[in-house]
Structures are given as structure tokens and as C-alpha cells.
Amino acid sequence: MHQSDMERFAFLFLCGKHDRDILMGKEKMTFSDFDRLTFITDFLGLKLYNLEIWNTYSEQFTEQFQRLEQLYDETCGIEYWDTTETEQHDHWIQEFCRQVSDRKSRKKLEEIVKQQYQEKGLDDA
């Protein structure tokens, strides 16, 4: 089995039914789903699966990416610290952990998340 297959299998095993249905093509992926799922896979170090999600879905969000780029260009000179995004990311990670149905797997995932927070120099959620 290839590394990308193992990452996909692990993520699909851990994620909740809604996310699994999205990633299996049973439900439509929204831009918000795309943002959340790519953040979580990146945070967990699932680089190959993250890339697979990008390659599969990013093209359908071209317009949203263009709007974000335009917004960035218009506001790049403004300096401010907004904790909203960090809080949103923490929420996504916590929700992802809560959706793991197997208790042993959830406990192990929570340990991995805590280690990731420590390695990234972030307060753990």
C-alpha cells in the first residue's frame, strides 16, 4: 500500500460520516468544507492526502480563490491581529477529534493533536 493510500484510509477512518460522504463524492464539497478539510489534513501531517484533496477539488473554487487574492491585495498593507481564524482552526480540530467514534483511536488522535500544538508552539486547545 502506498503512503497516500494509507493517509487517505486513516483520515476516512477517523472522520465523521458527513466528511466521509463529502470525500467519497456522496455529498457536494463547499468552499468551507474544502478549507476545513485541507487545514485538518495539513495540521495532522497528512501531506499526500492533503495534496490529493487539493488536486481533486481546488479547481471548482477558482472564483473564491480569486476573491481571496483580491481581498489580500487590497488589505495587505493593513496590520492587525485577528484571532478569529486561529479560534476557527482550533474549533475544527476539536470537532474532528470529537467525531472519532472509536474511543482508543480518539484518545490517540488527541495525543497527536497535542503534540502538533506543542511542535507548532501553539497553546493546545
Side-chain angles (χ1 to χ4, degrees):
M1 188 181 286
H2 293 94
Q3 179 68 25
S4 60
D5 295 329
M6 292 188 328
E7 289 182 11
R8 181 184 326 100
F9 178 78
F11 192 79
L12 291 174
F13 173 77
L14 294 172
C15 70
K17 181 183 180 340
H18 176 69
D19 289 339
R20 192 176 309 112
D21 286 348
I22 291 169
L23 293 166
M24 302 290 287
K26 295 178 182 178
E27 290 189 33
K28 183 174 172 47
M29 182 175 293
T30 66
F31 186 68
S32 179
D33 293 327
F34 178 80
D35 188 25
R36 179 175 50 81
L37 292 168
T38 55
F39 173 79
I40 294 170
T41 53
D42 181 59
F43 181 87
L44 295 175
L46 303 173
K47 304 296 184 202
L48 295 175
Y49 192 50
N50 180 278
L51 185 59
E52 182 178 318
I53 293 171
W54 266 94
N55 287 337
T56 303
Y57 297 99
S58 64
E59 192 172 290
Q60 73 187 37
F61 301 115
T62 302
E63 185 178 325
Q64 287 90 338
F65 286 125
Q66 288 172 343
R67 283 191 214 144
L68 285 173
E69 183 178 15
Q70 181 181 4
L71 180 63
Y72 175 77
D73 289 345
E74 292 171 358
T75 62
C76 68
I78 301 171
E79 292 185 34
Y80 67 95
W81 179 255
D82 183 7
T83 60
T84 306
E85 185 174 26
T86 302
E87 291 168 1
Q88 180 68 57
H89 290 166
D90 290 344
H91 175 75
W92 288 343
I93 295 297
Q94 290 170 10
E95 275 298 305
F96 184 78
C97 289
R98 275 195 287 270
Q99 292 180 22
V100 176
S101 58
D102 178 68
R103 197 176 72 192
K104 275 178 75 173
S105 298
R106 185 180 328 113
K107 181 81 171 153
K108 181 64 179 168
L109 179 61
E110 288 169 349
E111 291 171 15
I112 292 168
V113 166
K114 185 174 184 170
Q115 180 181 6
Q116 287 294 89
Y117 274 109
Q118 290 171 347
E119 288 177 9
K120 295 175 188 303
L122 304 169
D123 295 326
D124 65 15

